[in-house]
Amino acid sequence: MTDKPLSPVEKVKEESCGLRGDLAAQLSAGGDQFSEAGAQLLKFHGTYQQEDRDQRRALRGTDAEVSHQFMVRCKIPGGALTGEQYLVIDDLADRYGNGTLRVTTRQGNQFHGVLKGDLKATIRSVNDVLVTTLGACGDVVRNVIACPAPLAGGLREDVLRVARQVSDHLLPRTRAYHEIWLDGEAVAGSPPGGEPDPIYGTRYLPRKFKLAFAFPDDNCCDVHSNDLGFLVVAQGDRLAGFNVLVGGGMGRTHGKTDTYPRLADTLGFAKTGEVREMAEAVVKVQRDHGNRSDRRHARLKYLLDKQGLDWFREQVERQLGRPLAPAASVQVSDIEDHLGWHEQGKGRSFLGVFVENGRIRDDADRRLRSALRRVVETVGGGVRFTPQQNLLLTDIPDRQRRLVDRILADHGIAGHRALSVVRRWSMACPALPTCGLAVAEAERALPGVITELEAELERLGVADAALTVRMTGCPNGCARPYTADLAFVGRSMNKYGLFVGGSMLGTRLGTLYADLVPRDRLVATVRPLFERYRDERLDDERFGDFCHRVGIEAVRASVPVSS
């Protein structure tokens, strides 16, 4: 706790009467936007108020006002949807959104370009197919992520089941969501009992809270970047429990050295049946002791660094009423992106489909959105979003694999083998024009940067280089840039901080290599590093591992002198 004054957002939450505020009145009033306080409360309901910043720039110097629009985010534990749910979400993209779906790094979907008058209809339609937007944003536990791949053997499905249970348990108890958006009807997975909220209280959490489940041999969820992580501990083919990890987080602020990305520490062990109780205990410690005066220092990672891991463990044990079991000796050792065909068992398969930067759309020569819809309508099965912003088509009868391949090919969708390694493992946040925090391009810029990088790696003879490349439009790190082998973090319009030396496994942070690099110089700036990598790498050494082994001072010596 702190004696410092509460931040303005804390007052908004405290006085909101369980996240109600006057949202209902503002929703039915005229105009295209909500008040500043209303916009803060909207986040808890899964919605961000935004502007089209391209339009703002075009209208600069005129009397015209920029119209507001909204991003609506679905909360989908483990990214798993039925075919019916996916088709409804796809319909809504046209009916109320901008004609695209956006897969997030937290396995959700975002609708962009929703108008204020369509908000209620959009959220209601999502809930009609048992998907919610409640808690997809705001100072609560966000979407719970888990490996979406339904691999044969069932362990992935066991973990996904636990993830759903935890997600349901940690949903806000307020009925405001049902009253405002659903005319009082219960939302899917909502906890019984309504208000008051025994987990979140009246002020909810000091800041957003991210939770992930991962496997030691497949850290596709980047578990160490989360406030709370559960790393699978298996005994043979049985789920024994999880190592509990706390204190990860990507966000930082430019020019504020007391803000920083951080990887999670190992706290202890929880049996499978103890996970909900463990998650609640960790959330409550953050609720009671997190910084509520400065939102830049409100994430769990700052509480851990201030008080220490031993203190935090004592607080969690106090909440649990018992000591924590020691962690098992398991560590992250590999990562998968689940692209291509995989056996699911019982005569079925799933197909991982690459979605560049998570944007599902139809272009002139690559009609991905239409292709996915056709597969689901024709073959059935389910759809799952991955933490790499890709998509899995699941429960495909083995006899229909060739049909699925043909549908995709007919729509101009090449298989994953046609992708370069560097494009396959690339990822960007939406950034401009919709995100109000972006200071530089990301989603719209990264494909071109990757094309340049592909050509450079080909010329250097290292096109096989294994590396993750990520780009964000600001330092908050929504595309998890700080664990990447190579990352470009927006600093100002068309200029980036360039980070190297993270781990493809998500177990090491990168280091700033060059700053304020113009977008058209990004590839030229890293070329000397790839030359050294070509000449000095060890067998099967990943690019980030090479940079880490050589050392940041040595790699900085490779920065080209500006002319």
Side-chain angles (χ1 to χ4, degrees), residues 399-466:
R399 67 182 183 279
Q400 294 187 303
R401 282 169 56 150
R402 292 179 67 182
L403 172 60
V404 171
D405 285 336
R406 188 162 67 246
I407 291 172
L408 293 173
D410 287 347
H411 287 76
I413 311 304
H416 69 285
R417 290 187 178 86
L419 297 167
S420 68
V421 177
V422 68
R423 192 173 299 272
R424 175 173 177 164
W425 287 95
S426 65
M427 199 157 67
C429 70
L432 296 169
T434 53
C435 178
L437 299 176
V439 296
E441 295 279 1
E443 180 185 328
R444 297 192 298 192
L446 186 58
V449 173
I450 293 295
T451 298
E452 284 184 62
L453 197 52
E454 285 172 333
E456 197 64 72
L457 295 176
E458 187 72 37
R459 277 194 292 270
L460 293 171
V462 288
D464 63 330

Side-chain angles (χ1 to χ4, degrees), residues 457-478:
L457 295 176
E458 187 72 37
R459 277 194 292 270
L460 293 171
V462 288
D464 63 330
L467 73 156
T468 45
V469 182
R470 297 174 185 167
M471 177 180 272
T472 59
C474 84
N476 286 301
C478 290

Side-chain angles (χ1 to χ4, degrees), residues 229-266:
F230 291 97
L231 187 62
V232 167
V233 177
Q235 286 184 345
D237 58 358
R238 186 180 68 83
L239 181 62
F242 303 84
N243 277 357
V244 183
L245 313 177
V246 291
M250 291 287 97
R252 54 185 281 272
T253 303
H254 286 316
K256 303 288 184 182
T257 56
D258 57 348
T259 66
Y260 45 83
R262 186 187 193 277
L263 298 182
D265 298 319
T266 301

Side-chain angles (χ1 to χ4, degrees), residues 43-108:
K43 295 177 184 178
F44 291 82
H45 298 262
T47 298
Y48 275 83
Q49 181 167 282
Q50 299 178 331
E51 298 175 16
D52 184 333
R53 294 172 63 185
D54 287 345
Q55 184 189 45
R56 183 202 299 175
R57 195 174 299 114
L59 294 177
R60 193 171 293 153
T62 72
D63 294 332
E65 292 187 4
V66 176
S67 58
H68 288 81
Q69 56 186 21
F70 296 82
M71 179 270 280
V72 178
R73 182 183 293 159
C74 300
K75 190 172 188 178
I76 308 168
L81 295 168
T82 65
E84 178 193 10
Q85 289 171 328
Y86 178 80
L87 292 177
V88 169
I89 287 173
D90 182 71
D91 284 337
L92 295 176
D94 277 335
R95 198 183 313 164
Y96 302 122
N98 67 356
T100 72
L101 299 175
R102 182 56 159 79
V103 183
T104 75
T105 58
R106 299 202 65 75
Q107 299 178 280

